[in-house]
Amino acid sequence: EAQVTQNPRYLITVTGKKLTVTCSQNMNHEYMSWYRQDPGLGLRQIYYSMNVEVTDKGDVPEGYKVSRKEKRNFPLILESPSPNQTSLYFCASRGGSGAGEQFFGPGTRLTVL
Amino acid sequence: QQQVKQSPQSLIVQKGGIPIINCAYENTAFDYFPWYQQFPGKGPALLIAIRPDVSEKKEGRFTISFNKSAKQFSLHIMDSQPGDSATYFCAASLPSGGSNYKLTFGKGTLLTVNP
């Protein structure tokens, strides 16, 4: 089954404790992206990757890092989480050229105390 | 600067009604306009999408109407069902050409369809 998976689905942590949210897709997509969803704000892009070793900032990259060492994986790293990073995070991927469907993962709900 | 404005924030209709969700965009360079449906605990899933060279697209009970001159597009759900209760997001993206395929989302509409 074609899908985007994320782990963990739920995470409660404390300020300053480094964490990684993993994202993996099995569709051989070149493009992957991270969004955060906050009430009343919709979804906003954090980082994206056009291909292996090619990443760039989205609209709200502060406090986040990413890496793309393999085509299928695109982890989101919070080196020193803060309470304002409490949010619902989605990973997405798409393939092909031109505008087309982006497939979203099931989400990771992060709470930073 | 909010580039895609969505209204209403929430909408309640009776089964069989025709909810309409509206979006307006500012950037005339946008060339792809999808609607995503999100159920609680799930990620957004593509529902239907349109490009600005057509004024309407229909897929099953879902129709997008597009008004390029007004920079507006809307989602209509015919014969709505309780199972359609979800949050709906409109979005827009710029032409690809090797750049970011970022989706610029509206803030979402929570639709409730009562039995």
Side-chain angles (χ1 to χ4, degrees):
Chain A
E1 179 190 357
Q3 60 182 350
V4 178
T5 57
Q6 295 179 227
N7 282 292
R9 294 291 313 278
Y10 303 90
L11 180 59
I12 300 174
T13 190
V14 296
T15 298
K17 186 176 181 181
K18 181 179 179 180
L19 66 92
T20 299
V21 182
T22 65
C23 172
S24 183
Q25 51 93 5
N26 62 2
M27 295 168 279
N28 201 35
H29 285 167
E30 293 181 344
Y31 177 86
M32 299 184 74
S33 180
W34 277 102
Y35 292 85
R36 60 178 288 173
Q37 183 177 9
D38 301 289
L41 295 178
L43 289 91
R44 295 175 294 167
Q45 190 185 55
I46 304 170
Y47 266 95
Y48 69 97
S49 170
M50 297 296 291
N51 213 327
V52 174
E53 302 292 358
V54 181
T55 64
D56 206 347
K57 298 176 181 178
D59 294 324
V60 289
E62 294 76 22
Y64 304 95
K65 286 176 56 177
V66 293
S67 70
R68 188 90 181 272
K69 293 182 169 55
E70 304 168 283
K71 196 172 187 178
R72 63 183 293 128
N73 297 322
F74 190 43
L76 179 69
I77 303 157
L78 285 72
E79 294 269 0
S80 182
S82 62
N84 64 12
Q85 293 178 298
T86 293
S87 187
L88 180 58
Y89 292 88
F90 290 100
C91 180
S93 75
R94 59 153 285 165
S97 58
E101 180 174 2
Q102 290 199 27
F103 294 85
F104 284 80
T108 295
R109 184 166 293 282
L110 172 65
T111 301
V112 183
L113 302 175
Chain B
Q1 179 187 15
Q2 185 187 352
Q3 294 196 57
V4 179
K5 295 183 179 180
Q6 183 173 346
S7 62
Q9 268 189 302
S10 63
L11 186 55
I12 301 174
V13 299
Q14 293 298 121
K15 178 182 174 182
I18 306 175
I20 301 173
I21 305 171
N22 299 299
C23 282
Y25 62 96
E26 299 171 0
N27 190 341
T28 55
F30 286 142
D31 77 339
Y32 176 68
F33 301 89
W35 284 89
Y36 279 79
Q37 179 187 55
Q38 184 181 27
F39 294 105
K42 303 290 186 181
L46 180 66
L47 188 62
I48 185 173
I50 197 168
R51 292 189 179 275
D53 53 344
V54 297
S55 60
E56 185 176 280
K57 184 174 182 180
K58 183 176 182 179
E59 288 185 3
R61 296 184 294 108
F62 301 91
T63 299
I64 299 179
S65 297
F66 188 86
N67 186 329
K68 188 174 181 178
S69 61
K71 294 187 288 184
Q72 295 176 346
F73 58 110
S74 60
L75 176 70
H76 302 232
I77 306 175
M78 307 300 289
D79 187 27
S80 59
Q81 301 296 313
D84 296 329
S85 297
T87 299
Y88 292 81
F89 292 95
C90 63
S93 71
L94 296 170
S96 54
S99 62
N100 187 5
Y101 299 124
K102 179 182 76 173
L103 291 168
T104 300
F105 284 90
K107 294 185 177 182
T109 296
L110 178 61
L111 171 66
T112 302
V113 181
N114 289 325

